[in-house]
Amino acid sequence: MWDVSVIDCPSNFDVKSHAMSDDNSRYNAAEVEPRWQAVWEKGDIYRADDSSDKPKFYALEMFPYPSGRIHMGHVRNYAMGDVVARYKKAQGFEVLHPMGWDSFGMPAENAAIATGGHPKDWTYGNIDAMKAPMRRLGFALDWSREFATSDEAYYKQQQAIFLKFWDKGLVYRKTAKVNWDPVDNTVLANEQVIDGKGWRSGAVVEQRDMDQWFFKITHYAEELLEGLDTLDRWPEKVRTMQANWIGKSEGLQMRFEWADGDKTFGEDTYTGTEVFTTRPDTLYGASFIAFSPDHPIIKALAEENSKIEDFRIACAKIGTTEEAIATADKLGFDTGLRVKHPFDENKTLPVWIANFVLMGYGTGAIFGCPAHDQRDFDFAKKYDLPILPVVQPHEGGDERVELEEAYTGEGTLINSGFLNGLSKDAGISSAISKIEEMDLGKGVTNYRLRDWGVSRQRYWGCPIPVIKCAACGPQPVDEADLPVQLPYEDIDLTIPGNPLDRHPTFKTGTKDNPVTCPKCGAAAERETDTLDTFADSSWYFARFAGGQGNGLPSDKPFDKEIASDWLPVDQYVGGVEHAVLHLLYARFFTRGLRDCGLLDLPSGEPFAGLFTQGMVTHAVFTDEDGGFVMPADVIEDGNQLLHIESRKIVSKGEVIKMSKSKKNVVDPDEIIEGYGADVARWFVLSDSPPERDVEWTESGVIGAWRFSKKVWSLVSESEKMDPMSVASDASGDALELRRFAHKAMEKITAGIESFRFNTSVAQIYELTNALKKYKANDSAKAEALGILIRAIAPFMPHLSEECWSHLGGQGLCYHAPWPVIDPAMLVEDEVTLPIQVNGKRRSELTAPKAISKEEAEKIALSDEAVQRSLDGLTVRKVIVVPGRIINIVAS
RNA sequence: GCGGGCGUGGUGGAAUUGGUAGACACGCAAGACUUAAAAUCUUGUUCCUGUAUAGGAGUGCCGGUUCGAUUCCGGCCGCCCGCACCA
């Protein structure tokens, strides 16, 4: 089978001819769309009014990185948000729908290296280049609040927030093992490591010890977790992912004391070793203690014992990818040390070092209970350690049979002294109480979530407003001295390493103006790392909201009152790839801003409603030599595909996300030029459910384009009529049309409300088809047409304005209220009931809605087709569900 | 391995308290208009029973609950996504 998208498109097909028709009877998007855009712009109709009395609605799409081009993914993303924004406007809400640029980041540096330019010039050039196509798509955006995160005014306020967070104890510095991306030459946060690889570069991430700035996101671990339950307009999937990421577990942190008294490792003396466990009920089954190779005690031991150092090195060699670590064989080293068992004075346990124990979780040490933990089991098998079952499965089972794997299920405790006979849960709480009584530990809650490392060794980001003094340590820059400006001159990105660190003046200042410690005044050095760009996108929505529409504040991040009025964002739309990155960081930031008194947002939740949309995909084309070919360069010739210039035979491959590297991209600009913005918008919303991927096909676009023409012909052939008409006195065919229109409108509205735009689209098609068949030019037609045009408006705003104005509608369609559905039109007085015999449909009956069960049963049984299928059978039962169905049970 | 989601015509997909499976669209086929094509319009289009105003099968597979299951329950199979030695 050949790709329909190509076959359908004749080789001499000229897309420009569609929109540029000079035939007046045809809809000419190329002429119509800019004309309306000019009207909207002149009227400044999308500016949100902060002081409006109307109920507010904040619609937002994840703002773009200015890569230089708008792609179809953007079109789909913003089209969805635009549908919601326009719909809510028509529903009578005061709508805020802003747009800006997430403009710091690595691609600008890479582009600068590649082209010899400057990241700033590249970035702002791209923003200029992207604005025009964005405007051509006709989104209802309030551009008055636009900004870029790389604007000095923005990052200055971000530095101020950083300092406020510092004051509040939400920022700290420490040396830690960090994820190092060797390609981007920078540190990554845990959330930015995907499958052991950098989220942007794809390079295998290494572990390095480095001095880093951290945001204390763990301070809000519990609140971030609990808040998820309140986000009932978020996808379940995203909430689950965040909950898993936070990874709460409750258990016991306790100390195993050394068998032979206190010990000193390095400079510290320990009475024992701290472990964390979620299964204190299995303490009697403990057969060893295991340390992480990175545990401070082990590090100290390694300095004196070369065998331990060798073992640490062996563990480090396994690999740095998460998967390699997860699937590596269990490795252990017996330190010879022993600890006391807390419940059994006569028992001591050996202390091992084990490669599967993570330093980053719990205390970096565990007690091993091989019978009831698979990892401990594998380890015990390998090193011949005792395996003592202490949980008896409820259903039979003999504890003396040798286990083949760990048993982790419910059961009754055995071999466990005072815990014998208890269930798992009762055992856990008993064991915790006992340990607390013995003063060896206490019940604790642990989280998998780690603090957010935000230092990046890159140039194109927000400078961290800190001065490092040899005497006083790191000091915050005085607020009056903000912003710490990112230098434009003398930036060399071509050598690896931190560009700001080797800048001639940034770090230490100039002779006349040296960098000095804000505390003691001595010569000092500026912090040369920049903030993770995810910080930039963690509060931009608040600046949009608190920007007052007439300019962005220069003395504060946002106006507290106004921002707090608009927030939370009522509907946020973006890609699911940010499920635990941006969406978690933003939830942290709003809590920090709240607790610093900058934002009045008690819940701390920035986004009340979230929708994660699917991607735009396209088939990949390859030529004979295996090179990728742009879809626009492929033509159909006979029954084969050819490259338009080289005439090489092209084959169609898999359908995947549009990407530059595979060349399976369609340029929105070309589509706008060829078919119009409305068609592009309509197509990306029409075919697939919004959360799923949509495959871009030429035939699909042509279908959307045909539909736009169909609507126009319907309107242009019609006489002038008031699109706000209500034909309340309609009868006969007119009444039927009216019913149809109101029923369709109800479904269209429900579709928009529940983000099932494809079903709204289907209903719009049906209403259009019904109108096409309706020939009279009466008030029922006027009403139905008016409904149709307003239903289309959120999807195809230009076409709807043109239709509205052509019919003689008052004002702009954008300002027209959403059609009011007449409930009487949704109720049929006649219904058609299917008649089933033994669950199989045999006939149907049309009757007044109010027909009695008895009457319906009587008619059904006397139906000819029913009689035929009942031949030879006895009726046992007749089920009549009023308004639904009749089922006759016979045997 | 753990967690979550999804399997419906040639294709995208409808069917949200269990009630006519396949709406709507794409594609395809036939026809009208046309010198011809494009565009447009009309009709048909789940599969099988050579004909259909008739019958049978049918929502990944097997079973269950029910008058009735795409929908609820149990067990398989396949695909996708997320997490991944988290104690």
Side-chain angles (χ1 to χ4, degrees):
Chain A
M1 278 280 284
W2 297 109
D3 175 24
V4 289
S5 72
V6 177
I7 288 178
D8 189 60
C9 167
S11 54
N12 59 353
F13 189 78
D14 176 8
V15 286
K16 284 180 189 162
S17 65
H18 291 309
M20 306 285 239
S21 166
D22 46 19
D23 172 358
N24 283 335
S25 67
R26 282 170 68 177
Y27 182 69
N28 186 344
E31 182 275 320
V32 170
E33 293 184 347
R35 178 152 49 74
W36 285 109
Q37 284 160 20
V39 171
W40 297 333
E41 201 162 331
K42 198 174 169 198
D44 199 13
I45 60 171
Y46 302 128
R47 184 183 289 249
D49 178 3
D50 293 323
S51 53
S52 169
D53 296 331
K54 295 185 200 168
K56 68 98 185 177
F57 194 92
Y58 188 174
L60 185 69
E61 300 90 53
M62 292 179 186
F63 66 162
Y65 177 79
S67 61
R69 290 202 156 271
I70 295 287
H71 55 71
M72 277 303 167
H74 290 129
V75 176
R76 195 170 188 221
N77 189 186
Y78 307 142
M80 285 180 192
D82 207 49
V83 166
V84 174
R86 288 176 178 274
Y87 164 72
K88 288 290 175 182
K89 169 76 180 180
Q91 289 272 36
F93 288 84
E94 183 65 32
V95 174
L96 171 59
H97 188 210
M99 183 55 73
W101 310 94
D102 187 17
S103 56
F104 272 138
M106 284 290 303
E109 291 189 39
N110 294 337
I113 293 165
T115 63
H118 193 282
K120 185 174 184 178
D121 301 336
W122 184 83
T123 300
Y124 284 88
N126 285 348
I127 290 174
D128 284 343
M130 288 169 80
K131 249 190 238 175
M134 291 269 278
R135 285 177 185 270
R136 292 178 68 188
L137 282 158
F139 298 127
L141 292 166
D142 179 355
W143 284 100
S144 73
R145 300 172 190 243
E146 177 198 6
F147 61 83
T149 56
S150 56
D151 292 348
E152 195 176 294
Y154 186 81
Y155 73 71
K156 173 185 171 181
Q157 296 306 327
Q158 187 157 306
Q159 290 170 345
I161 292 171
F162 180 93
L163 298 178
K164 283 260 167 47
F165 276 20
W166 193 349
D167 284 346
K168 200 75 195 166
L170 294 172
V171 169
Y172 68 94
R173 183 176 179 80
K174 73 165 184 195
T175 302
K177 191 159 260 195
V178 293
N179 308 299
W180 179 260
D181 185 322
V183 168
D184 283 351
N185 278 311
T186 187
V187 163
L188 298 175
N190 295 332
E191 290 82 1
Q192 292 157 12
V193 180
I194 315 289
D195 291 336
K197 299 182 178 111
W199 72 285
R200 260 207 68 260
S201 71
V204 173
V205 167
E206 299 164 6
Q207 303 293 310
R208 282 196 187 180
D209 273 318
M210 286 182 76
D211 227 17
Q212 290 288 297
W213 287 98
F214 287 87
F215 279 147
K216 204 168 181 181
I217 191 168
T218 55
H219 176 71
Y220 295 107
E222 186 62 33
E223 200 191 322
L224 287 167
L225 183 65
E226 279 176 1
L228 292 173
D229 290 337
T230 68
L231 298 174
D232 56 348
R233 291 200 296 116
W234 277 42
E236 190 62 42
K237 180 183 171 164
V238 174
R239 294 195 291 172
T240 306
M241 282 168 69
Q242 290 212 0
N244 290 342
W245 190 262
I246 295 167
K248 178 179 182 174
S249 61
E250 297 189 51
L252 168 70
Q253 182 168 328
M254 64 168 291
R255 186 169 70 252
F256 280 84
E257 294 184 334
W258 303 114
D260 47 359
D262 293 359
K263 291 192 176 302
T264 302
F265 302 104
E267 290 170 8
D268 301 310
T269 300
Y270 300 81
T271 56
T273 180
E274 294 283 328
V275 304
F276 173 73
T277 177
T278 54
R279 292 295 304 275
D281 57 317
T282 65
L283 263 168
Y284 274 97
S287 57
F288 63 94
I289 295 289
F291 277 105
S292 162
D294 297 314
H295 195 283
I297 290 179
I298 302 305
K299 282 186 181 171
L301 283 174
E303 286 183 17
E304 292 153 21
N305 184 332
S306 64
K307 281 186 181 163
I308 291 179
E309 182 57 23
D310 290 348
F311 179 75
R312 292 188 69 228
I313 292 166
C315 290
K317 268 190 190 153
I318 284 167
T320 45
T321 71
E322 303 277 359
E323 200 184 353
I325 292 166
T327 55
D329 278 341
K330 301 278 179 289
L331 282 181
F333 183 93
D334 187 352
T335 62
L337 299 165
R338 294 191 83 86
V339 295
K340 292 188 219 167
H341 191 284
F343 298 152
D344 187 345
E345 289 178 9
N346 303 317
K347 197 169 174 183
T348 61
L349 304 173
V351 175
W352 287 66
I353 309 170
N355 65 335
F356 67 90
V357 181
L358 306 173
M359 190 56 225
Y361 186 77
T363 61
I366 59 157
F367 81 78
C369 177
H372 304 292
D373 182 288
Q374 191 57 41
R375 293 154 300 172
D376 299 347
F377 183 87
D378 296 341
F379 192 76
K381 278 277 179 198
K382 180 162 179 184
Y383 294 104
D384 204 23
L385 294 158
I387 299 173
L388 175 65
V390 292
V391 181
Q392 172 92 54
H394 289 307
E395 287 155 34
D398 185 339
E399 77 272 18
R400 282 163 304 188
V401 173
E402 195 176 342
L403 292 168
E404 290 184 357
E405 58 177 10
Y407 176 74
T408 56
E410 299 286 334
T412 307
L413 293 170
I414 53 169
N415 301 328
S416 291
F418 73 98
L419 296 171
N420 277 338
L422 295 177
S423 68
K424 177 174 162 179
D425 286 347
I428 289 174
S429 45
S430 279
I432 292 176
S433 307
K434 183 80 175 174
I435 292 289
E436 285 177 346
E437 248 170 64
M438 296 166 75
D439 205 22
L440 284 175
K442 58 176 184 177
V444 295
T445 302
N446 237 305
Y447 298 91
R448 209 186 74 109
L449 183 69
R450 300 270 73 91
D451 278 334
W452 175 14
V454 290
S455 298
R456 294 292 178 273
Q457 293 68 42
R458 301 308 325 161
Y459 162 69
W460 192 233
C462 171
I464 295 174
V466 169
I467 290 170
K468 294 189 276 191
C469 171
C472 313
Q475 295 298 317
V477 170
D478 275 341
E479 211 169 326
D481 292 339
L482 295 182
V484 174
Q485 273 180 323
L486 203 54
Y488 179 84
E489 304 290 343
D490 302 319
I491 289 299
D492 186 357
L493 301 163
T494 55
I495 13 177
N498 186 341
L500 285 179
D501 198 48
R502 52 169 188 269
H503 185 270
T505 58
F506 181 80
K507 191 171 171 181
T508 53
T510 59
K511 217 175 198 174
D512 303 333
N513 190 15
V515 173
T516 54
C517 172
K519 197 173 172 188
C520 71
E525 291 184 351
R526 235 177 243 300
E527 169 65 62
T528 56
D529 285 350
T530 49
L531 279 177
D532 182 0
T533 55
F534 275 101
D536 309 345
S537 52
S538 292
W539 65 282
Y540 77 105
F541 43 87
R543 187 154 170 96
F544 279 146
Q548 295 174 272
N550 297 309
L552 299 156
S554 57
D555 57 338
K556 55 193 167 194
F558 41 80
D559 185 281
K560 181 179 175 181
E561 299 292 312
I562 300 172
S564 303
D565 280 349
W566 281 113
L567 288 172
V569 173
D570 294 281
Q571 185 61 60
Y572 199 31
V573 187
V576 74
E577 67 273 17
H578 288 112
V580 282
L581 286 158
H582 162 59
L583 290 168
L584 186 62
Y585 295 144
R587 296 180 65 225
F588 159 69
F589 248 73
T590 42
R591 283 169 171 81
L593 292 168
R594 176 198 64 194
D595 292 347
C596 291
L598 292 168
L599 198 56
D600 184 15
L601 188 68
S603 75
E605 292 299 343
F607 313 119
L610 171 70
F611 188 84
T612 52
Q613 99 275 5
M615 299 179 300
V616 182
T617 62
H618 198 289
V620 173
F621 293 105
T622 40
D623 65 21
E624 298 155 56
D625 308 326
F628 296 117
V629 177
M630 300 266 289
D633 295 337
V634 175
I635 55 162
E636 186 251 349
D637 180 50
N639 58 355
Q640 61 186 10
L641 304 173
L642 294 178
H643 185 256
I644 200 162
E645 277 162 22
S646 69
R647 310 306 289 181
K648 281 180 187 166
I649 295 173
V650 168
S651 57
K652 185 197 161 193
E654 52 177 353
V655 177
I656 53 168
K657 180 184 181 181
M658 286 188 181
S659 90
K660 250 197 275 182
S661 61
K662 295 277 169 66
K663 293 200 180 172
N664 61 335
V665 290
V666 173
D667 183 5
D669 239 9
E670 284 176 20
I671 300 299
I672 295 169
E673 217 172 292
Y675 300 95
D678 282 342
V679 169
R681 296 169 54 128
W682 183 257
F683 176 67
V684 291
L685 296 177
S686 61
D687 257 17
S688 293
E691 71 276 12
R692 262 189 245 177
D693 292 350
V694 62
E695 184 187 352
W696 184 276
T697 60
E698 188 78 20
S699 58
V701 180
I702 292 173
W705 172 68
R706 265 190 213 137
F707 174 69
S708 70
K709 286 196 304 182
K710 200 168 174 179
V711 172
W712 176 244
S713 76
L714 198 56
V715 170
S716 61
E717 287 160 14
S718 169
E719 293 168 7
K720 272 200 186 304
M721 40 177 67
D722 180 9
M724 291 291 287
S725 298
V726 176
S728 45
D729 57 349
S731 62
D733 284 352
L735 180 60
E736 282 312 301
L737 178 69
R738 199 164 177 248
R739 282 187 194 286
F740 195 95
H742 281 259
K743 278 188 197 160
M745 196 61 216
E746 196 208 14
K747 291 178 192 156
I748 292 163
T749 306
I752 294 175
E753 286 280 356
S754 59
F755 260 85
R756 284 147 59 227
F757 303 135
N758 55 322
T759 64
S760 299
V761 164
Q763 289 301 319
I764 290 172
Y765 279 132
E766 294 213 45
L767 179 54
T768 308
N769 291 342
L771 266 162
K772 202 82 183 168
K773 288 197 185 101
Y774 191 82
K775 296 302 173 193
N777 270 315
D778 55 13
S779 64
K781 181 172 183 181
E783 179 179 2
L785 257 185
I787 287 175
L788 175 69
I789 291 165
R790 281 176 286 164
I792 288 173
F795 301 86
M796 300 202 282
H798 310 87
L799 176 61
S800 64
E801 290 293 2
E802 186 71 3
C803 290
W804 191 259
S805 124
H806 184 86
L807 285 179
Q810 291 292 303
L812 288 172
C813 184
Y814 175 69
H815 287 125
W818 197 245
V820 178
I821 295 156
D822 180 351
M825 291 298 101
L826 306 180
V827 187
E828 292 287 0
D829 16 85
E830 279 210 325
V831 286
T832 300
L833 298 175
I835 307 169
Q836 296 182 335
V837 175
N838 288 333
K840 288 190 175 126
R841 185 181 175 282
R842 295 298 173 190
S843 185
E844 61 181 33
L845 82 83
T846 302
K849 191 174 183 354
I851 188 171
S852 71
K853 282 193 179 190
E854 293 72 23
E855 187 72 8
E857 182 174 333
K858 207 174 108 189
I859 299 171
L861 287 171
S862 61
D863 184 277
E864 196 190 326
V866 171
Q867 291 272 315
R868 211 173 330 136
S869 52
L870 281 174
D871 190 34
L873 299 175
T874 312
V875 174
R876 303 287 173 197
K877 200 172 167 189
V878 180
I879 291 143
V880 181
V881 184
R884 286 283 190 188
I885 202 164
I886 299 161
N887 191 12
I888 299 163
V889 187
S891 60

